[in-house]
Every structure is written in structure tokens, then in C-alpha cells.
Amino acid sequence: MADVIMKHSKAVIALWLVVLVCALPFGIKSGDVLEYDMNSMSGSSTEASDGQAIIDEHFSNSIDLSEILVISYSSSEELAAAQAIFVEFQNLMDDKYGAKTTVSNYGTYSKGDPNVEGILMIAIANNEGESWDISHETDNIRDLVKEAKSNASAAYPEAAGLTTYVTGNDAITYDTENSSMEDVSKVDPLSILLIFVLLGLFFYAVVTAVVPPAVVGMAYGIALAAVYAIGCLMGVYYITQTLILVSMLGAGCDYAIFIITRYRDERKKGLSHEDALKTAIMWGGEAVFTSGISVIIGFAALALCDFAMVRTMGIILAIGIAIALVAALTFIPSLLNLVKDKIFWPSNIESYKRVEDKVQNGGKLGVHGHLSKGSKRYFAWLSRNTHKHSKLIAIALVVLCIPGLYIFAESEDSADMISVMPDSESVDGLDLIMTQTDGGTIMPTYIVLEMNESIVTTVGSLPYGGMSIPYVIWNEHGLDPATMTGAVPTVMEMTKDINKNYEIVGSISGLNSWQIMYMKEGADLRTTDPSTINQALYEQMPSAVKGYVGMILAIASGQHDLTHIDPTAFDASWNSYVVSGLTVANIIDGILNVGTGILSDDGQYVSVMVITTDKPMSADTMDFLAELRSDLHDGKESYDYVHRNIWSASYVAGTSASIDDMSKDIEDQFSMIRIVVAILLIVLLFFILGSYLTPIRSIITILLSVFLTVALTHVVFEGLMDTPVLFLIPIVLFVVLLGLGMDYEIFMTTKIRENKIKGMNNDEAIDNAIKEAGPVISLCALLMGGTFLTLVLANSSMLKELGFALGMGILIDGLLMVGYVSPALMHLMGDWSWKGPGFLTRRHGLNPDGSNMAVPAACGAAPADAEHIGGEMPVKAVPATPEEVAKYKQECYSEVAVRQDRIAALNVEVKTLTDNKRIGRLDEEGEKELEAKRSELKAEKESLREFQRKSREDLRSRKGQ
């Protein structure tokens, strides 16, 4: 790979630019496919989705609350002004949208006297269905509200001061979309600025600070085309676009920095540009590739979830990381090959060397020198103390994790999507509705009943005064007047029981029969007088239907002036005829059941609407849903079993039920996904590292990071900010941290293994890795953790929680676990860290027991009478003191490392030439070059073996063996 990139650097860069140009037109349109309603991102069939499908298909007259105008009033005069605003607004909407919308009075609501204080709710129905997106008209509708207030204030001065909100599902979608765009405009520049500052301080270079985020930006532009393509097929939840950006910025910059840093370090050691770049690609590239694959595995596991919201999030994040990974492995080395050391402008390799020399030997230090000196001191201190206090660190980890694990186990995650919505007019309106009415008014729960047979003879409509008034005639399955049996009285009894058994039920609207209500009210009042009974029933009607019921009673009672209906003169009984063949009960039953969406047009389905007193997705509401489902479905005392002769199935549906199903199903599926991710990562690391225990140890440390981060998130948001932690947070955190957090484990572990391969013992390999890889790992953790933490500035509490959890998780893992815990544990494990099957360990120059094959444990002694070892390296007399022995051992390790790097580079060249020979691309000069390289490789290997042999002999001689 190194040779290909170095030979074709310009072509590689040109290819990336061509792909970017082709992708940009599609990436620009990626925002068009984003979804802002979680309910639209469902997955496999659930009880709630099945029930909702029945409602959508069979209940054409159900009330549409997608857009609602809410007007708050605090006096009877203001109520009159609110009513005037409604009239003006209705006229303006008719003028602008015509038949596309229907504006209707949804009634006044109040926790006290509605004539004194409360809200007027006005429903704005979309008559075009999915063919017209009314959410995009929200701003225009709000402008019409302002105009209506202005017009009404001419006759009602109070109208100008009334508080109004346009809310509802579509308005919330619109506001969420705008808030998301605002979040991106705030978060993106801050993330890039943070990366630029940290990279500038680390490299003390302008170009190096610009290149990684610029390359990731190119990869992000290509990834947006993937967002658009996938969104056209299945929809993409809006937070995915924000997450993919910060994920790619964090991970992509990490990969680029690791390769650039490795190149710089090799150049500082004196290697040529070509050798340094090859080494960076070989060793740094392996670590980056392994890290990238682990992240992709973590994200791709989300695709196993049935729910489209999570599945598309996983697919897109995996694709984004894959693009960033390939860019880091190809574009960055190609750019390095072309610009060489200029990438560190205005610094250069010589200036880096001078700074290091001043740090080591004294001299005047600038900003870069002080930073470099502080870094070296810290990581030297860290290497000593993780070695010296490894047991204490392990004990401290256990002590720290006990409360974290307790909080993790005891805390409950929330499914309350309302509480994490971004601040907006629609959310304020929603809060006002839930303050003045029962909490579930705008998002009711539905009990959908599938009848064994149709319960109606006829469902029709009666044209009257430009209106279409529904009517219904029951058959014997619906209502038998002689015995008062059938579906109608049964459902009425069930709704009565539910209302009585649950305090959280504010109101429940099921099947109703005016005949049954009439006869029951007469019995309760102990009268047969129609006027008394009808007036009492009329006063009990909900405001949404009260006017229609009064009109029918007035017509049946012979009242002709319907603009001034007199309730005291309702003298028509339930079976009085309004028109030929249709009684009062027929028409009022149509209004109460068909007109409100309780009975389907074919009489085959019933939708019982339950409005809870608590907020739609609160913990109490979710507990109620679980109990309601049990009452409906479980056991021989359930409604389904007792009334199986009337209905064949029942479903609990609605927004709350959908979110409840989604949260439970996602959590159930993630029990399996967590195991799959952990196993795949262990297998990946097993083959990459050739170790039995190190992959397991890596997974355990990251899992501890997850537990600690979830506990900290609950403490901060629930304990300090009184905001429930959404159920998605621990799930996404687990997968993301297991992938992205594994980066730092792999960077550190592969560096330790590289040191082992080059001849160091286990402790020396760890200490050296902390000193050399520690700074870049800490930088990468600060970069990625910082980019995620910028999300706490978002308007959405969901993004705040995700940003805080992911950012703190990355920092805990990268700075605490990888910086302290992993090295301490590997010190304690010793060579057990590297024990593995021989077929894997030998590939890396290690024995199956974890010891080094290349350099003996006694590499540190030189023969007393030798002048050369291996014919090349001058050897000093045998050191007499431990300090001299240690110094010589380091020289020996360095020599072995240089030789092995040279052998690895020759192997690559021989393989490339051999492949070209096999496909017929090698001319006579190439054949000669191949033979020469083979001879050189053979000589290098023999030289290394001789070096090792003579070192062992010297050691035995020195020890008198």
C-alpha cells in the first residue's frame, strides 16, 4: 500500500477530488430527506403501529391535530376577543389555502372556570394528506395569526395583547427542523475552531492544523451524498446529520493526526522522507485501520435494529467513518508525499529537533518548547507511576466503579420525547395546553378494537345548511334495543371501568348511544321529561360536539332560530324523528361516534380515545400503558377474553404507545446487539494483536467507561438539571464508545506490541508507548471529546445529552482509562498480555507465551572481546554497572528496531516486484532489481540473526554460564 500511494500520489488526490465534485450535488440536498418525527421512523410491526395503521386506513373523520392555534385568555372579555381572532383567522386561512385546510373551533379548556380563564384551541386540518406538507407553511400560518389579531383588535382591543401559539405535531416538526439547522450553524464552527487551536498548539504549525479538518470536510461532503441516497429509501432522523459530522471530525482527525505524527517522529529520528512515510503507513496505518474497523463494527451493529431511526443512524455513521478512514489512509499519505515536510509550515523537522534539544539540554524555550517540556514531563511521570502504582490504580478503579455501577443499575431512562424537544413556540404552546388541560389532550392514547362483525346497518351523512352531519343506524351486533346488549353497551361499560380504575385517566371517549345515555340519565334524575333529560345531557357534551348536538335537539324540538338555541326547550325524546327515517339517536350517535373518529365508516373498527391527566410520555403515563395492555390482553379476566364474542383483537396505539413500544423493542434488541459488538471487537483484536487476554481487557475497560459515563450523565441531567435521560442515550453511548473509544486502546496497545516486536520487554514497551504515543492519544481524545461536547450548546436536550455523554465518555476513556488504567493493568498482566496462539504471535515476532522472538531478554549485554556484532554494529565492552547495562540495552533495542524496519520495507518492495512479475509487468531491469532486493533481504535477515546469536553468547559468557 505504501508503494502504491507513493507512486501514484497525484492520482489518489485527483480521484478524491473527482468523487467529491460528483457527490456534492446530492450532498447539498441531504437536508430534504431528513425526518423530524420519531413516529415516522418506526420499524418492525408492533401493537402500536398495527393499531395506528388501522386508524389511518379506516378512520377518515378522526380529528386532525397536526397544527393547532392556542389562544390564552384570562377574562370573559379576552375570551370574546379570542373568539373574534378565531373568526378572522378562519377567514384568512380560507382566503389563502381554500379547500386545502379546514379551520375549526376545538373548544375552550381550563383547569378552572373556562369562562374566566383558560385557552381556546383551534384545529387546523390538512385536507390534502401526505401530498401536501403543511409543516412548511407554519411560518405563513403564524403570520396569518398576527394579522387576525390585528384585524380583531379593531372591535376587541384586548385581542392585540393575547398570547398565541401555533403548535401541534407538524409545527413541532417545523420548529425542530429550524432548531437543528441553528444547532449545526453553532456547533460546526466551534468544533472546527477547537480542532484548529489544539492542532496548532500540538504541531506549532498552521498547515498541519488545517489539513486534518479539511480532509474530513471533504469526506463529510461525500458522506452527505450517502445520507441523501439512504434517505430516499428509508428516511434519516435529523440528529444523524449532526452526529455524523462530529463523529467524522473526531475520528477522521484522530486518524490523520496519528499518521502525520508518526511521520514527524520518524523524520525526527533521522529517517529519510521515503522511509519515514513508509514507516508511518506501515505501523501507523495498521493502528488506524484497526481502529477504524472497530468503529465501523460498532456503528454498523446499529443496523441490526428493526427501527428505521436507529438502523439508518448506524448505517450512515458506519459509512461516514469508513470514508474518513479511507481518506486518512490514502489522501493524507499522498499529500505528505507531495508536500513533504512543508506540511509542518511554518515549523519544520529541524526546528522540532532544536526544540527537543533545548528541552533536554537546556536553553531558552518558546511557547512550543514549554508545551513540549510539559508534555514530556507529564508522560514521563505517567509512565513511572502507572508502573510503580499499578496495583493502587487497579484498586482505585474498583472503588470508583462501585458507585458508578450502582447509579447505572438503579437509574431509569426516560421515553419522554417532549422533555428533550428544543425550545420553540410549538413546545411553549404544547406546555400551555398541558397546563390548562389534561396532559394527554394533544397526544391521546387509543384503544383500537377490531370487531368480529360490522356493528352498523348504515353509516351515512345528512346534508344540512351547507354541512354534512353523520348518522349511524346500529345492527343487532352493535345495539339490541330490546335487551340493551351488543358492542355499544359493552364498550361503554369497559370505558367506564377504565375511567374508574385509573386516576391518571382524565377522560375517555368510546362508543356512545344517545338512547342508553337518555334512559340512564332519566333513571338518575327520576324523570321521563325529555326537556329535563336532554338539557342535562346537553350540558355534559364536550365543547367540540356540543354545538352539533344542540342543533339536532333544537331541530327535533321544533326550534327554527338555530342561532339562538334554547336548551330548556329540548322536548324531543331519543326516538323522535329529525327527518324521515332518522331519529335523534341516529344522528347524535353519528356525531358522537363517526364524527369524532370513534367508529370506522364500515362499522368494523372502534377507536376509544383516552386522555391522561399526566403528560403523554411521562413515567406515570408509560406505567399506565403497561397496565392497560395487561387489562386488555392478559389472562382469562382480560377484556379481550371476556368479550371475545364481540371483538377479535385490541390494540393500544397513539404517540405515547408508539414511543413506549419503540423504547422497549430497541432496548430488547440491544441486549443482543451489545453482545454482537463485543464479540466482533474481541475477535478483531484477537487476530490483530494475537493475544488471548488483551482484547478482553480492552473491552472491559471501555465498558467501565460506559458505566461511569451513564452514571455521570444521570447525575448531571437528572440530579442537577431536572431533565430526564432519554432511553437512547445509554444505547448510542455503548455502541459509539465501544467503537470510537477503542481507537485509543488500539493506538496504545499496537504501540506496545510494536515495542515488544522490536525487542523491549513488557514493562519497557509499556513505558515507551506512554511516552511516545501518550501525547498524540491525549490530543485525539481532547479533539474528539471536545467536538462532542460542543453539542451541549444545542437547543435540543436530546443533543445536549448525547453530546455530554459521548464527549465525557471519550475523555474518560482516552485520558483516564487508556492513560492510567490500561497501562497499569498491562504492567500487572506482564507477558500474559501477549500470550496467544503460535500461528498469530509468530507473525508478530512473539512466542506463544508472550516473550520476544527477535531479541532475547538479555539483549542488553555485549561480548567483551567483540568488535562487531553481525558484521555492522560496533560493540562496546561489557558494561559493569546496572546503569550502563540499561543504556546498552536501549542501544540494542534501537538497533534491532532499525534492522526490522529495514527488513519490513524490503519485504514490501520484494512483494510489489514479485506481483508485477507474476502479471508480466517486469522488464529485464526489473528482474535484476528483484534479484538484488531478494539478496539484500536475505543478507539483512542473516545479519539480524547473527546479531541475536552473538548477543546471547555474550550474555552467557558474562554470567559465567
Side-chain angles (χ1 to χ4, degrees):
M1 178 176 169
D3 285 335
V4 172
I5 289 175
M6 295 178 72
K7 287 180 180 179
H8 306 288
S9 297
K10 293 181 180 179
V12 170
I13 292 176
L15 179 61
W16 273 103
L17 295 178
V18 169
V19 172
L20 176 63
V21 170
C22 295
L24 279 179
F26 301 99
I28 292 172
K29 297 191 293 183
S30 61
D32 298 340
V33 299
L34 299 180
E35 297 283 352
Y36 296 86
D37 181 6
M38 187 179 286
N39 286 322
S40 66
M41 302 295 293
S42 61
S44 60
S45 175
T46 64
E47 179 179 336
S49 64
D50 292 344
Q52 189 61 49
I54 292 173
I55 292 174
D56 293 341
E57 181 178 356
H58 296 280
F59 291 85
S60 58
N61 292 327
S62 59
I63 299 172
D64 185 349
L65 296 179
S66 56
E67 293 259 355
I68 302 173
L69 169 59
V70 185
I71 306 175
S72 177
Y73 62 89
S74 56
S75 66
S76 57
E77 291 79 13
E78 289 186 355
L79 174 58
Q83 298 284 4
I85 293 173
F86 159 61
V87 174
E88 292 289 342
F89 177 69
Q90 190 176 41
N91 293 333
L92 291 171
M93 287 290 291
D94 286 343
D95 291 342
K96 184 173 182 63
Y97 297 110
K100 285 186 174 182
T101 63
T102 298
V103 177
S104 55
N105 189 333
Y106 195 57
T108 56
Y109 296 86
S110 174
K111 288 292 179 70
D113 185 351
N115 293 316
V116 175
E117 180 181 11
I119 58 172
L120 173 65
M121 290 175 58
I122 299 164
I124 307 166
N126 175 11
N127 298 329
E128 300 293 310
E130 295 183 359
S131 63
W132 184 56
D133 189 357
I134 193 175
S135 69
H136 289 163
E137 298 296 321
T138 302
D139 258 352
N140 293 329
I141 291 173
R142 285 169 176 161
D143 289 339
L144 293 181
V145 172
K146 293 177 183 177
E147 187 176 346
K149 289 172 65 175
S150 176
N151 294 346
S153 63
Y156 297 88
E158 297 88 349
L162 293 183
T163 302
T164 59
Y165 302 97
V166 174
T167 184
N169 290 335
D170 284 339
I172 290 172
T173 296
Y174 175 80
D175 287 341
T176 302
E177 180 177 355
N178 285 344
S179 177
S180 174
M181 294 177 181
E182 182 182 339
D183 289 341
V184 169
S185 67
K186 286 191 301 186
V187 169
D188 290 1
L190 186 59
S191 298
I192 294 170
L193 178 62
L194 175 67
I195 291 171
F196 183 81
V197 170
L198 289 176
L199 289 181
L201 291 174
F202 184 79
F203 288 103
Y204 210 64
V206 175
V207 176
T208 323
V210 172
V211 167
V215 173
V216 173
M218 175 192 68
Y220 177 64
I222 297 171
L224 287 181
V227 172
Y228 177 76
I230 294 172
C232 290
L233 298 175
M234 58 183 75
V236 177
Y237 196 48
Y238 77 98
I239 65 170
T240 303
Q241 190 174 39
T242 305
L243 285 178
I244 191 176
L245 175 61
V246 293
S247 297
M248 290 181 69
L249 271 175
C253 287
D254 282 2
Y255 302 151
I257 292 164
F258 203 76
I259 291 175
I260 294 173
T261 302
R262 186 59 188 264
Y263 170 79
R264 184 195 65 174
D265 292 345
E266 297 302 325
R267 291 284 288 125
K268 284 162 59 177
K269 292 177 182 177
L271 292 184
S272 66
H273 162 72
E274 290 77 13
D275 290 339
L277 185 55
K278 284 183 180 180
T279 302
I281 295 173
M282 287 169 55
W283 291 104
E286 180 191 29
V288 166
F289 178 76
T290 306
S291 300
I293 294 299
S294 70
V295 177
I296 292 169
I297 287 174
F299 283 146
L302 293 172
L304 298 175
C305 184
D306 287 337
F307 283 87
M309 180 194 72
V310 178
R311 183 169 63 250
T312 56
M313 184 188 298
I315 293 171
I316 289 172
L317 289 174
I319 291 173
I321 296 297
I323 296 171
L325 174 64
V326 176
L329 290 174
T330 59
F331 193 97
I332 292 293
S334 298
L335 187 64
L336 277 171
N337 191 40
L338 294 177
V339 303
K340 297 182 174 62
D341 296 345
K342 293 185 181 67
I343 198 167
F344 302 113
W345 186 87
S347 296
N348 53 52
I349 299 301
E350 293 304 318
S351 67
Y352 289 138
K353 289 180 178 179
R354 286 195 298 271
V355 168
E356 286 204 357
D357 183 65
K358 290 180 181 179
V359 169
Q360 291 178 357
N361 302 317
K364 187 176 180 181
L365 299 176
V367 175
H368 189 209
H370 283 293
L371 291 173
S372 178
K373 184 176 181 179
S375 173
K376 286 184 179 298
R377 283 184 174 180
Y378 172 73
F379 287 102
W381 173 88
L382 187 61
S383 68
R384 290 194 307 271
N385 284 277
T386 52
H387 189 171
K388 183 179 179 181
H389 303 295
S390 55
K391 292 181 180 178
L392 183 62
I393 291 173
I395 294 171
L397 175 67
V398 173
V399 173
L400 180 64
C401 286
I402 289 174
L405 289 172
Y406 175 79
I407 296 173
F408 177 86
E410 292 298 316
S411 58
E412 292 187 6
D413 303 320
S414 171
D416 188 355
M417 300 301 299
I418 295 175
S419 66
V420 297
M421 288 178 180
D423 294 335
S424 63
E425 177 180 330
S426 57
V427 172
D428 291 341
L430 192 62
D431 289 339
L432 177 61
I433 292 173
M434 290 187 291
T435 300
Q436 290 292 343
T437 69
D438 288 328
T441 298
I442 196 171
M443 294 181 184
T445 295
Y446 297 95
I447 303 171
V448 181
L449 304 175
E450 185 175 352
M451 298 297 162
N452 292 324
E453 300 178 69
S454 175
I455 60 176
V456 299
T457 297
T458 306
V459 171
S461 59
L462 176 67
Y464 187 88
M467 297 182 294
S468 181
I469 303 174
Y471 67 86
V472 61
I473 300 175
W474 308 109
N475 61 23
E476 67 277 10
H477 302 295
L479 176 62
D480 186 338
T483 60
M484 286 298 172
T485 59
V488 177
T490 300
V491 174
M492 290 179 73
E493 189 63 29
M494 180 185 75
T495 56
K496 178 182 176 183
D497 288 345
I498 293 173
N499 199 20
K500 179 179 68 175
N501 294 336
Y502 294 101
E503 291 184 5
I504 196 172
V505 176
S507 64
I508 182 167
S509 303
L511 285 178
N512 280 297
S513 163
W514 188 259
Q515 177 188 353
I516 294 175
M517 290 189 290
Y518 184 94
M519 297 177 69
K520 181 180 180 302
E521 191 67 20
D524 291 343
L525 296 175
R526 297 182 180 181
T527 181
T528 58
D529 176 46
S531 294
T532 304
I533 297 171
N534 285 334
Q535 183 180 3
L537 290 176
Y538 170 75
E539 294 299 330
Q540 297 172 20
M541 291 294 100
S543 59
V545 298
K546 192 172 185 177
Y548 297 101
V549 171
M551 181 181 67
I552 299 304
L553 290 173
I555 294 171
S557 301
Q559 297 185 38
H560 300 290
D561 184 6
L562 299 182
T563 59
H564 296 87
I565 294 174
D566 181 8
T568 63
F570 291 155
D571 58 4
S573 63
W574 66 270
N575 54 357
S576 300
Y577 286 96
V578 180
V579 295
S580 178
L582 294 177
T583 65
V584 170
N586 293 148
I587 301 177
I588 294 182
D589 285 355
I591 294 170
L592 296 181
N593 297 287
V594 180
T596 57
I598 292 173
L599 180 67
S600 65
D601 294 338
D602 58 4
Q604 192 69 51
Y605 298 94
V606 171
S607 176
V608 177
M609 184 169 68
V610 183
I611 296 177
T612 57
T613 55
D614 211 346
K615 292 182 178 180
M617 288 169 257
S618 68
D620 288 342
T621 298
M622 294 308 192
D623 290 341
F624 161 66
L625 292 179
E627 294 177 18
L628 179 61
R629 282 174 168 153
S630 178
D631 287 347
L632 285 168
H633 311 316
D634 297 345
K636 292 188 176 181
E637 295 183 359
S638 66
Y639 291 116
D640 286 353
Y641 185 83
V642 172
H643 302 300
R644 60 191 182 279
N645 62 317
I646 296 178
W647 62 77
S648 57
S650 65
Y651 310 86
V652 176
T655 301
S656 299
S658 295
I659 298 298
D660 187 46
D661 281 349
M662 183 184 298
S663 64
K664 289 177 179 176
D665 279 11
I666 289 176
E667 288 176 354
D668 289 344
Q669 290 175 29
F670 264 84
S671 298
M672 178 268 294
I673 291 174
R674 289 185 182 99
I675 296 172
V676 170
V677 173
I679 291 174
L680 287 176
L681 289 178
I682 288 174
V683 170
L684 171 69
L685 294 181
F686 172 71
F687 282 103
I688 294 294
L689 301 176
S691 168
Y692 293 124
L693 297 180
T694 297
I696 297 173
R697 194 268 313 152
S698 298
I699 294 294
I700 289 173
T701 54
I702 291 180
L703 289 178
L704 291 177
S705 300
V706 173
F707 296 146
L708 290 173
T709 305
V710 171
L712 183 62
T713 304
H714 276 282
V715 169
V716 170
F717 283 89
E718 283 188 350
L720 301 180
M721 300 175 62
D722 196 27
T723 301
V725 176
L726 196 64
F727 71 95
L728 283 174
I729 305 302
I731 292 170
V732 174
L733 177 65
F734 177 89
V735 174
V736 173
L737 199 57
L738 209 57
L740 292 176
M742 187 62 74
D743 278 358
Y744 313 121
E745 283 285 344
I746 291 172
F747 290 164
M748 179 64 76
T749 306
T750 53
K751 181 61 179 176
I752 296 171
R753 188 199 61 187
E754 178 188 339
N755 291 338
K756 284 279 291 179
I757 293 170
K758 291 180 177 180
M760 299 183 192
N761 64 38
N762 188 64
D763 288 345
E764 291 166 334
I766 295 170
D767 294 345
N768 177 268
I770 292 174
K771 293 174 184 176
E772 291 197 2
V776 70
I777 290 173
S778 297
L779 171 68
C780 291
L782 289 171
L783 282 176
M784 190 181 298
T787 55
F788 277 120
L789 283 174
T790 57
L791 291 176
V792 301
L793 300 176
N795 292 321
S796 167
S797 292
M798 183 191 302
L799 283 178
K800 288 179 188 288
E801 291 180 0
L802 278 172
F804 178 84
L806 293 173
M808 292 305 300
I810 292 295
L811 293 177
I812 289 172
D813 186 67
L815 301 181
L816 177 63
M817 291 298 178
V818 176
Y820 290 82
V821 175
S822 294
L825 293 179
M826 293 186 78
H827 275 300
L828 293 174
M829 292 167 65
D831 281 341
W832 279 93
S833 295
W834 306 108
K835 289 186 177 182
F839 76 96
L840 289 176
T841 60
R842 292 190 187 97
R843 285 175 48 206
H844 304 305
L846 300 176
N847 293 310
D849 64 356
S851 62
N852 193 276
M853 292 174 61
V855 179
C859 173
D865 57 351
E867 293 183 359
H868 294 81
I869 294 180
E872 294 182 16
M873 180 180 176
V875 180
K876 311 182 286 188
V878 176
T881 66
E883 290 77 13
E884 290 175 327
V885 170
K887 183 178 179 181
Y888 181 75
K889 284 174 68 175
Q890 190 59 49
E891 292 174 359
C892 185
Y893 293 146
S894 298
E895 174 65 16
V896 171
V898 170
R899 289 169 181 259
Q900 289 186 328
D901 285 346
R902 195 155 56 232
I903 289 171
L906 285 170
N907 269 321
V908 172
E909 293 182 34
V910 169
K911 184 179 183 305
T912 302
L913 291 169
T914 303
D915 290 342
N916 287 336
K917 179 180 179 180
R918 188 176 64 252
I919 60 177
R921 290 184 177 176
L922 217 58
D923 55 15
E924 185 176 344
E925 287 297 321
E927 293 276 3
K928 291 179 181 180
E929 183 182 0
L930 175 58
E931 289 305 317
K933 291 292 183 184
R934 283 174 173 169
S935 298
E936 186 180 352
L937 177 60
K938 182 179 179 181
E940 287 287 350
K941 289 181 177 178
E942 289 176 354
S943 176
L944 179 58
R945 282 194 293 269
E946 181 67 11
F947 180 88
Q948 295 164 352
R949 184 186 66 78
K950 292 197 177 218
S951 295
R952 288 192 293 268
E953 289 176 356
D954 170 67
L955 178 64
R956 295 191 192 99
S957 173
R958 181 64 175 169
K959 290 184 176 181
Q961 296 177 349

